[in-house]
């Protein structure tokens, strides 16, 4: 099979080279060749980097890490649908295939429309097709509710790819995470289809089902916030597993932890950012409880381990915050960057009355701050070395 592919691609290669019939479509040929095979081309001059992983294989590894969250999200979408429609006797596969019918069009729309823009910019700019879209094309639909209209998926991924990445020069030059940029655009442009109690379950017309964050905003009188959540069916164990209403890929903490293990063991995801985010969330939780202002939302009384399994914290800190392009690059900077993301998530959750799910805004804000963090980390290192030299 490999020999056949090599022979076929080598045969049609002259058609895409300068002077060939399909010269302008060379990025498409290059994408096929490098996605399917390891390129034979090598650098002709220094510096040389010897590694088995190139950028395409790195991005594919992130997609592999997203598979558990994707498969569980598909199952959960079908499970919630059948539960809302009171489908009796539904099996595991009934839930999965129903979820597949709900989620697959959203994922395919994201890849199709986003892929169109990637190919268009690659052809116009005459550069290879960006590998980063393999990840953004899947990350974005996993942050959306299963009821999102497909035209909004197309509009959102267009904004994320074009405005969030390509106008900066493509992969490696974008300041913000493209998938989160797309999600933020939809959130502020079409809040009725991406927030509230009507969008998280593909149920009958008028069906509503609040998320744990929505319920936690208004605890019942005489009850602690955890008691209110448990009475609504949201125990810690259930939220850890993820069988609850929410965005397609963000509900299961266990699936996110499997993805985190894949990213850390493969050396692609930064464990410093993940651990820093958890520490920032814990610190913020204790700090805000110590402040205890009456102006804070009831979520301030939620123990930090509930904050870790509620909303999209796990998904955001594992897959979004660790984006190697928009995150801090220095080791010390990664600790600071991750810590501040976790801290900001907690502060926004308990202090902002209009926005209980704070993960998206916290990560986007720290994306902007990442270059500044790295700058001061590098300057501090230079000063330490200078003191050592002149001592």
């Amino acid at each position: 099979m490999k020999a056949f592919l090599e022979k076929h691609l080598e045969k049609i290669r002259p058609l895409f080279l300068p002077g060939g019939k399909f010269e302008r479509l060379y990025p498409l040929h290059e994408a096929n060749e490098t996605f399917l095979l390891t390129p034979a081309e090598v650098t002709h001059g220094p510096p040389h980097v010897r590694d088995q992983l190139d950028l395409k294989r790195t991005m594919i590894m992130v997609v592999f890490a997203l598979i558990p969250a994707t498969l569980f999200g598909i199952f959960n979408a079908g499970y919630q649908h059948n539960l809302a429609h009171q489908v009796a006797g539904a099996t595991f596969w009934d839930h999965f295939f129903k979820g597949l019918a709900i989620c697959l069009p959203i994922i395919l729309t994201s890849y199709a429309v986003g892929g169109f823009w990637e190919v268009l910019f690659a052809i116009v700019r005459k550069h290879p097709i960006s590998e980063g879209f393999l990840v953004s094309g899947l990350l974005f639909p996993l942050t959306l509710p299963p009821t999102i209209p497909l035209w909004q998926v197309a509009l959102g991924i267009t904004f994320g790819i074009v405005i969030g990445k390509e106008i900066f020069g493509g992969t490696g030059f974008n300041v913000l995470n493209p998938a989160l940029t797309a999600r933020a655009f939809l959130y502020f442009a079409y809040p009725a289809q991406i927030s509230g109690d009507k969008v998280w379950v593909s149920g009958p017309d008028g069906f509503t089902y609040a998320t744990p964050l929505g319920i936690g905003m208004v605890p019942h009188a005489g009850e602690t916030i955890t008691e209110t959540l448990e009475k609504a069916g949201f125990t810690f164990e259930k939220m850890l597993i993820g069988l609850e209403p929410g965005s397609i890929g963000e509900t299961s903490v266990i699936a996110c932890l499997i993805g985190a293990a894949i990213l850390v063991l493969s050396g692609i995801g930064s464990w410093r950012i993940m651990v820093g985010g958890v520490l920032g969330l814990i610190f913020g939780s204790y700090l805000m409880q110590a402040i205890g202002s009456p102006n804070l939302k009831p979520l301030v009384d939620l123990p930090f381990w509930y904050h870790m399994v509620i909303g999209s914290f796990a998904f955001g800190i594992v897959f979004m915050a660790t984006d190697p392009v928009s995150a801090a690059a220095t080791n010390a900077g990664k600790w600071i960057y991750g810590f501040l993301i976790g801290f900001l998530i907690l502060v926004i959750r308990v202090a902002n009355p209009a926005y209980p799910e704070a993960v998206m805004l916290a990560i986007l804000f720290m994306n902007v701050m990442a270059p500044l963090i790295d700058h001061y980390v590098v300057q501090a290192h230079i000063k330490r070395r200078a003191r050592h030299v002149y001592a």
Side-chain angles (χ1 to χ4, degrees):
M1 185 65 181
K2 180 183 176 185
F4 171 79
L5 285 173
E6 287 177 337
K7 184 178 179 181
H8 176 70
L9 291 172
E10 191 62 32
K11 182 179 178 181
I12 64 173
R13 169 183 273 266
L15 297 173
F16 297 91
L17 294 178
K21 187 177 181 181
F22 304 116
E23 176 185 353
R24 293 186 65 82
L25 300 180
Y26 177 75
L28 285 174
H29 174 75
E30 193 274 345
N32 282 329
E33 193 173 37
T34 54
F35 278 125
L36 295 173
L37 302 168
T38 301
E41 294 182 1
V42 297
T43 305
H44 299 291
H48 298 282
V49 177
R50 294 181 180 274
D51 200 306
Q52 292 179 332
L53 280 178
D54 59 11
L55 192 53
K56 284 186 173 61
R57 256 45 69 175
T58 298
M59 293 299 177
I60 289 174
M61 188 63 74
V62 180
V63 173
F64 286 155
L66 282 166
I67 287 177
T70 305
L71 293 179
F72 185 88
I74 289 172
F75 171 81
N76 186 48
Y79 174 78
Q80 299 297 333
H81 172 92
N82 289 334
L83 203 62
H85 286 270
Q86 299 181 340
V87 178
T91 65
F92 172 88
W93 291 112
D94 290 333
H95 297 320
F96 184 81
F97 284 115
K98 186 61 194 178
L100 197 62
I102 295 170
C103 300
L104 193 58
I106 298 174
I107 296 172
L108 292 180
T109 300
S110 174
Y111 268 124
V113 177
F116 165 78
W117 289 111
E118 289 285 356
V119 172
L120 181 62
F121 273 89
I123 291 174
V124 171
R125 291 175 171 170
K126 298 180 180 178
H127 64 61
I129 294 174
S130 167
E131 303 84 354
F133 176 68
L134 289 173
V135 177
S136 300
L138 184 57
L139 273 176
F140 173 58
L142 294 183
T143 67
L144 300 175
T147 59
I148 190 81
L150 294 183
W151 68 269
Q152 289 189 10
V153 179
L155 193 60
I157 196 64
T158 296
F159 188 89
I161 296 298
V162 176
I163 306 299
K165 185 172 71 173
E166 292 299 342
I167 64 169
F168 292 101
T171 299
F173 299 97
N174 51 292
V175 178
L176 304 175
N177 183 303
L180 271 185
T181 304
R183 215 265 185 192
F185 168 75
L186 286 187
Y187 179 81
F188 292 109
Y190 305 99
Q193 283 78 40
I194 204 169
S195 62
D197 298 341
K198 299 180 180 178
V199 302
W200 307 113
V201 176
S202 174
D205 289 343
F207 183 82
T208 62
Y209 200 155
T211 63
L213 270 177
I215 292 173
M217 292 279 288
V218 192
H220 297 160
E223 295 179 355
T224 65
I225 188 170
T226 54
E227 289 172 342
T228 299
L229 284 171
E230 289 176 1
K231 284 188 177 179
F234 297 117
T235 63
F236 179 84
E237 293 77 11
K238 187 174 181 179
M239 292 189 286
L240 184 70
I241 296 170
L243 285 174
E244 61 187 22
S247 298
I248 294 172
E250 297 182 342
T251 61
S252 176
V253 177
I254 293 177
C256 293
L257 289 176
I258 295 172
I262 295 173
L263 292 179
V264 172
L265 292 175
S266 61
I268 292 173
S270 170
W271 62 269
R272 294 178 177 84
I273 293 176
M274 298 181 200
V275 176
V278 172
L279 294 177
L281 186 80
I282 295 172
F283 174 78
S285 177
Y286 281 118
L287 179 66
M288 299 307 281
Q289 287 178 7
I291 294 174
S293 169
N295 294 324
L296 298 177
K297 290 186 293 187
L299 286 171
V300 73
D301 296 323
L302 198 64
F304 71 82
W305 53 91
Y306 273 83
H307 277 291
M308 290 181 185
V309 299
I310 202 169
S312 59
F313 173 77
F315 187 86
I317 205 68
V318 171
F319 296 112
M320 295 294 193
T322 55
D323 175 9
V325 176
S326 55
T330 58
N331 285 341
K334 289 175 181 176
W335 279 109
I336 299 169
Y337 170 84
F339 183 89
L340 290 178
I341 286 177
F343 180 73
L344 278 177
I345 288 172
L346 200 290
V347 170
I348 296 173
R349 274 184 180 176
V350 305
N352 186 337
Y355 193 66
E357 180 50 275
V359 177
M360 176 183 71
L361 290 185
I363 296 176
L364 286 176
F365 181 75
M366 290 311 302
N367 282 169
V368 177
M369 294 292 111
L372 187 65
I373 294 172
D374 280 335
H375 169 77
Y376 282 110
V377 169
V378 171
Q379 290 302 313
H381 181 68
I382 292 173
K383 287 181 180 177
R384 283 198 303 273
R385 294 295 299 270
R387 284 198 297 269
H388 176 73
V389 169
Y390 295 116

